Amino acid sequence: MSMLEKKNTILIVDDEEEIRKMLNIFLDVADFKVCECETGKQALRMSASVRPDLILLDLGLPDMDGKDVITQIREWSNVPIVVLTARSEDLDAAPALNMGADDYVTKPFSAEVLLARINANLRKWAVKEVGEPDISHGPIRMDLVRHEVFINDERVAFTPKEYDLLRYFLVNRGRMLTHKQILKEVWGPAHLDDTQYLRVYIGQVREKLETVPGLGKSIVSESGIGYRMDLVM
């Protein structure tokens, strides 16, 4: 996989260094990007700044109850959360699921079981968000689980931001999107005025869509307002 292509990011939240090291090895081999922290407060900060695709959360954190971390994240995000529990803490899994966790894995766990749960939850999240694990629009197909783009069944390499931008257009195809809406969703609220930045990325996405001549024109600009992706037959 090219360094430019988007990988799913997993945030590990666990205060045991050995567990974090082991998870890093598992996830790196499976081609995930990994971020990690050891406290609940760090988890809350990183879930907002990193925007992981999935969180692996140990409930027994040193500074706050893992279930409170779930509750606070759920106030603003539906990111999949897989809880890690020791066998003696199995009773904690049910309250955690009731508070919004998606799944749990009991320590000690095998790499196979953990990866199966992670992939199942990533797929479920992709389906929940847009109704299916991929989006097709004319000759374009996006695999939302593997983060790959195909045009006429040929894989085309998109950088992470180009991918996020195209995905936002496809999910909202036919709809007029303002500059601020796009910048907030793709880059975050700190970038609401970076319209020049957006214009550069729109140009890059259009250029890659031109794998099929004329397809780049499906992203239409409305001067002073924003952009719309026209419906493609």
Side-chain angles (χ1 to χ4, degrees):
M1 178 179 282
S2 161
M3 290 293 287
L4 290 175
E5 290 179 51
K6 188 176 176 73
K7 298 180 180 182
N8 281 306
T9 300
I10 309 290
L11 173 60
I12 301 169
V13 187
D14 198 305
D15 63 331
E16 293 182 60
E17 188 177 358
E18 288 304 311
I19 296 283
R20 294 201 307 274
K21 280 183 180 173
M22 180 181 67
L23 289 170
N24 256 296
I25 293 167
F26 287 172
L27 297 171
D28 185 58
V29 168
D31 212 23
F32 289 107
K33 182 180 174 186
V34 180
C35 300
E36 60 177 73
C37 62
E38 54 190 82
T39 70
K41 286 176 182 170
Q42 289 171 341
L44 293 172
R45 280 200 304 272
M46 290 183 73
S47 61
S49 61
V50 174
R51 293 193 175 194
D53 297 289
L54 183 140
I55 299 173
L56 289 177
L57 174 68
D58 181 51
L59 291 179
L61 299 173
D63 62 332
M64 61 192 290
D65 191 314
K67 294 189 286 295
D68 292 334
V69 175
I70 297 168
T71 302
Q72 290 189 45
I73 290 175
R74 282 291 173 258
E75 288 175 1
W76 62 274
S77 174
N78 289 318
V79 60
I81 300 174
V82 176
V83 165
L84 305 174
T85 70
R87 289 202 189 282
S88 58
E89 298 165 352
D90 257 6
L91 291 175
D92 284 342
L97 293 168
N98 289 335
M99 288 174 174
D102 295 270
D103 205 346
Y104 79 103
V105 179
T106 304
K107 300 175 185 175
F109 43 77
S110 70
E112 291 77 14
V113 167
L114 181 66
L115 293 172
R117 295 285 175 86
I118 287 172
N119 285 319
N121 279 282
L122 287 171
R123 186 165 289 277
K124 184 173 73 176
W125 169 237
V127 171
K128 186 191 297 183
E129 198 176 14
V130 298
E132 53 197 14
D134 56 29
I135 308 176
S136 292
H137 181 52
I140 308 165
R141 182 173 69 82
M142 295 189 87
D143 184 324
L144 300 176
V145 178
R146 297 180 61 84
H147 293 264
E148 293 176 340
V149 180
F150 297 85
I151 300 177
N152 275 346
D153 295 325
E154 292 289 323
R155 191 157 73 90
V156 179
F158 278 68
T159 68
K161 277 289 174 256
E162 290 169 355
Y163 173 93
D164 287 343
L165 183 58
L166 178 61
R167 178 181 165 286
Y168 188 57
F169 275 124
L170 287 179
V171 169
N172 294 283
R173 54 196 181 274
R175 232 180 103 199
M176 173 53 64
L177 303 167
T178 68
H179 296 127
K180 280 185 165 48
Q181 277 179 316
I182 301 167
L183 286 162
K184 182 182 177 186
E185 286 301 318
V186 178
W187 279 272
H191 296 274
L192 294 184
D193 297 317
D194 293 345
T195 50
Q196 178 58 38
Y197 201 52
L198 174 59
R199 197 172 294 121
V200 169
Y201 272 87
I202 293 281
Q204 290 169 194
V205 170
R206 280 174 169 156
E207 189 177 328
K208 289 184 177 179
L209 292 178
E210 281 298 314
T211 303
V212 172
L215 189 58
K217 293 177 184 171
S218 63
I219 298 178
V220 178
S221 172
E222 293 286 349
S223 183
I225 301 173
Y227 297 90
R228 181 186 67 248
M229 175 163 247
D230 274 347
L231 300 176
V232 177
M233 301 306 289

